[in-house]
Structure formats: structure tokens, C-alpha cells
Amino acid sequence: MSALADLDIVRRDIPVGPLTTYKLGGPASFYAEVGSRDELDRVLGAWRQSQIPLLVLGRGSNLVVSDHGIDALVLRLTGSFNEVVQRPDGVWAGAAVRLPQLARAAVAAGRLGLEFYVGIPGSVGGAVRQNAGGHGRETKDVLIEVSILDGRLGEVEVKAAGELDLRYRHSSVAAHQVVLDALFAFEPGESEEGEARMREITRWRREYQPGGTLNAGSVFKNPPDDSAGRIIDSLGLKGLTVGDVSVSQKHANFFVAGPAATAADLYRLVDEVRGIVVAKTGVELETEIQFEGFS
Ligand code: EPU
């Protein structure tokens, strides 16, 4: 069995920032793009002999790596993991499929119910792992089953959605488990109806969220029965800035990075806002963005 450094598809010291929507942060000590099960098995076989963590990257729309980088194997699925198949029992998609692409493919086939994914810039694997949602629906509501490869054991298990402990922005999928593909439920319907719904979702997001900027969506999870954005806004924190990262003027739970921003700026702003919110309201906000390599 080869060591990670010996595999031709594994690269050293690759910047992770460009692979994320924030474009911030330093390098990963090991990085591999795998386009097939065979490649994935080879890389994971070598990873098992190492002592470093595994970090499966989706579209990088919810991840920030520290400026110093991380000592980990960052894995990105591509190639055969990008397939969508309209099966009789559901919409089947590889883990690397982008969620807007999934929504559009389903609607084009007259399969409705996945339109909410049109505005979520993540991947199928990321949606399962975080129970991604928006516009009144969550992955939990549409997921039938998932194939998961346990990186430690090298074995694949098919799990029903009900076995994944899917809750608000939460699942039981661990960091060493790689989602391979997922099967989604649908309701048959008219493509025009789905297209209209997708247009409305896109319009809504343009109106209320700072699209076209460097961000990773909501910074904090919403506390029970309230909205992190509403709370941060009510405390007058829009525009609060650390370095080159600011609380968005458009939506207070989006923090927008400028061209000179560092991951440390973002991390400090998150810490500052969290501190003000708990001091003034008693509410302890939990981050939705995954921060890696910060102490
Ligand atoms: N609000 C303010 N000021 C702000 C922002 C929001 O007063 O600056 C108020 C709004 O007026 C509204 C309430 O807060 O009354 C909730 O705001 P919004 O409708 O924008 O929803 P949200 O709770 O902030 C959630 C998800 C989003 C998802 C939208 C739409 C979370 C943490 N966020 O946002 O998901 O797009 O609903 O369904 O659950 C994400 O997870 O990255 C994400 C963008």
C-alpha cells in the first residue's frame, strides 16, 4: 500500500482558498481530486496509513481554512461523481453535483420538489452532510437514501435518510465518511411550474442576500424560533468591520470579504459579533460556517 506522498494524484501544499467561495486561507498539506471510485479507494487506502485528518470538500461554500493552512488530506470529488440520473425510484445524483444543477435537471424532467436547491451554492455531498435547506425545505424532506464510504473501513453502506440524524443544519455523517451519491424523492409535475418557482427563489435571494460578493452564506445558524440576521441587525452591527471583512449591509448574517481580507479577519469578526450578541441578548450563536485550522 502506497503512502499519500507516493501517489501521483496526490499533490502537496495546495492553496484551499481558491476552492472556496470566500477565497481565503492557506494550503492543505495534501490535496487530491478523485474522479472515480477506483481513484478514491487508492487515495483513502494511503490516507488510512497517515495520521492526518480527512476533509472532504464540496463546493467550498461553507468552509474557511486558516491563513496558516491545515495539515490534512483535502479531497475533492469530480468526474463520475458529477452524474445525475432520472431513475424510476427518484432523482439519483453523484456527490459532486452542484445543487442548482440538480434542481434544474429535475425540473427539466418534470420532477418537482427540489427547486429550493437552485439558490444553494453547495454540492449534493455537502447538502447531505449539513442537511442544507432554504425556502421552507431541507434536504431531510427530499432525501430517500445515500451511499456513504467509510474512509477508515473502506466500506460502503447505503443508509436511509431516517438513519442520518438529519436535523436543522446537522447530520451524523462524520468527517471520515465520504458521501458518494444520493437518491432524492420528487413529485411529478409541469416543468413550467418548477421553472417559475426557481425564478422566484432566485429573485428573492437577489433581493435579500448579498450575491456576487465573497461570502459563504449564513455565518451563524439560527437560534430556535429566531433569526441570527435579525438579532445582529437589531444590535446595529451592519457594517461592523475587522480588517477587510464586514457585516453585510444587505443581510446581517452574511459577512462579506474584500480583496485584502484574511481568514483571520473573518474569524475575529465572527468572534466579535458572537461576543456582542451574547453580552447584549444572552443568545449564544453557533457558527454554520465550518472553520478549519483555527485555534
Ligand atoms: N432580518 C433582519 N435583518 C437582516 C437580515 C434578516 O431583520 O439583516 C430579518 C428578516 O427581515 C426576516 C428574518 O430576519 O424577518 C429572517 O431573515 P431571512 O428571511 O433572510 O432568513 P434567514 O433566517 O436569515 C435562512 C437561512 C438561509 C436561507 C434563508 C431563506 C439560516 C441560518 N439561514 O436565512 O440559508 O437562504 O433562510 O430560506 O438558516 C445558509 O444557510 O447559508 C443560508 C443562506
Side-chain angles (χ1 to χ4, degrees):
M1 185 72 64
S2 319
L4 271 178
D6 297 336
L7 293 182
D8 50 357
I9 49 171
V10 175
R11 292 148 69 197
R12 302 295 308 267
D13 300 321
I14 296 297
V16 180
L19 305 167
T20 69
T21 56
Y22 258 123
K23 313 280 180 218
L24 300 172
S29 49
F30 293 93
Y31 173 74
E33 279 180 15
V34 294
S36 66
R37 252 313 289 286
D38 185 51
E39 284 184 354
L40 181 57
D41 287 343
R42 277 202 296 140
V43 173
L44 288 177
W47 170 74
R48 275 198 284 285
Q49 328 235 331
S50 76
Q51 300 293 318
I52 59 174
L54 178 66
L55 200 163
V56 185
L57 189 70
R59 305 299 302 181
S61 57
N62 218 6
L63 173 75
V64 178
V65 164
S66 88
D67 298 307
H68 311 292
I70 45 167
D71 189 21
L73 167 64
V74 172
L75 205 56
R76 194 158 194 228
L77 305 183
T78 163
S80 66
F81 296 101
N82 275 307
E83 226 187 321
V84 179
V85 182
Q86 303 299 335
R87 289 193 347 196
D89 55 346
V91 182
W92 181 96
V97 170
R98 291 179 308 110
L99 296 171
Q101 182 196 340
L102 175 69
R104 292 204 176 89
V107 165
R111 296 177 149 199
L112 306 188
L114 305 181
E115 297 90 293
F116 70 102
Y117 281 139
V118 79
I120 305 180
S123 65
V124 163
V128 172
R129 178 125 199 263
Q130 306 196 322
N131 186 26
H135 307 277
R137 282 211 142 174
E138 296 178 318
T139 297
K140 177 179 188 284
D141 304 324
V142 292
L143 190 64
I144 299 173
E145 63 181 30
V146 196
S147 307
I148 297 176
L149 172 58
D150 189 304
R152 288 186 189 150
L153 305 174
E155 286 166 11
V156 177
E157 244 191 312
V158 176
K159 292 223 174 210
E163 297 176 272
L164 296 173
D165 192 23
L166 295 169
R167 288 180 267 134
Y168 172 64
R169 299 295 193 266
H170 171 90
S171 81
S172 61
V173 180
H176 66 277
Q177 295 180 315
V178 185
V179 174
L180 300 177
D181 51 66
L183 184 66
F184 296 92
F186 66 91
E187 301 117 40
E190 296 298 324
S191 297
E192 290 73 24
E193 188 188 329
E195 278 158 17
R197 172 99 184 108
M198 290 195 297
R199 272 198 301 278
E200 169 53 21
I201 289 170
T202 307
R203 187 206 60 76
W204 187 91
R205 290 180 88 98
R206 283 213 188 100
E207 187 169 348
Y208 295 107
Q209 299 180 351
T213 62
L214 298 177
N215 71 73
S218 300
V219 171
F220 296 105
K221 296 180 187 178
N222 283 337
D225 305 319
D226 206 343
S227 151
R230 188 204 65 74
I231 297 170
I232 298 166
D233 189 6
S234 73
L235 296 173
L237 299 178
K238 279 183 171 171
L240 185 70
T241 298
V242 170
D244 200 15
V245 182
S246 304
V247 177
S248 165
Q249 295 288 356
K250 203 163 182 181
H251 194 300
N253 198 21
F254 284 64
F255 296 1
V256 174
T262 63
D265 293 342
L266 173 65
Y267 196 71
R268 279 174 41 221
L269 183 62
V270 168
D271 209 41
E272 195 170 328
V273 169
R274 186 169 28 204
I276 296 170
V277 169
V278 75
K280 299 226 165 137
T281 68
V283 175
E284 295 198 24
L285 292 178
E286 211 184 295
T287 52
E288 177 178 315
I289 294 177
Q290 186 184 347
F291 286 93
E292 292 289 341
F294 294 82
S295 51

